[in-house]
Amino acid sequence: MRAALALLCLAASGAAAAAAQVVDIAWTPEGRFTHMATLAPRELLEVCGKLHRGGRVAWSFEAGAPLPFNIHVHQGKAVVYPARLERATKAQGVQIFDAEPAHCWMWTNTAAEAVKVSVELQQTPR
């Protein structure tokens, strides 16, 4: 399923990525998730998780170079993007889960060298 999700996201992003790191969100008992990765050139990182409708997640990331970033959800054949940045080294926000399918945070390394990415997600009260 993770491979199929990665292929769907590659197609949705229009990126010609060489490889994908797909990470399932594993929440701590406190409702926190952190992840660090190094993306090779043309590689993407996708962090996906499912919450109940109305759930809220405060998110932030830092990257070693400006990267394309988005939050997306697959709703049938459509892909909806609640957030999208063309190139950012850091950003933060709050995502409200308005659909049951998994929401995914995604970064694509379009640089010629490897880039480190650090992600933090925190479930917040409604």
Side-chain angles (χ1 to χ4, degrees), residues 9-118:
C9 293
L10 279 172
S13 71
Q21 294 183 37
V22 180
V23 178
D24 293 325
I25 296 172
W27 300 105
T28 66
E30 299 79 30
R32 187 167 185 241
F33 170 82
T34 59
H35 185 75
M36 294 173 68
T38 300
L39 300 179
R42 298 182 36 173
E43 185 174 33
L44 70 82
L45 169 64
E46 186 169 41
V47 174
C48 297
K50 187 174 181 180
L51 286 179
H52 298 292
R53 186 182 301 265
R56 297 168 50 100
V57 173
W59 58 268
S60 64
F61 76 87
E62 288 192 31
L67 301 177
F69 162 77
N70 71 68
I71 299 173
H72 64 272
V73 61
H74 297 272
Q75 295 179 337
K77 292 185 178 184
V79 180
V80 177
Y81 295 90
R84 187 184 279 183
L85 299 171
E86 290 298 318
R87 295 179 64 72
T89 56
K90 64 182 178 176
Q92 63 184 25
V94 175
Q95 175 60 36
I96 299 173
F97 284 64
D98 54 1
E100 290 294 324
H103 280 63
C104 298
W105 286 257
M106 188 169 88
W107 299 262
T108 305
N109 183 5
T110 56
E113 55 278 330
V115 176
K116 291 185 180 185
V117 179
S118 176

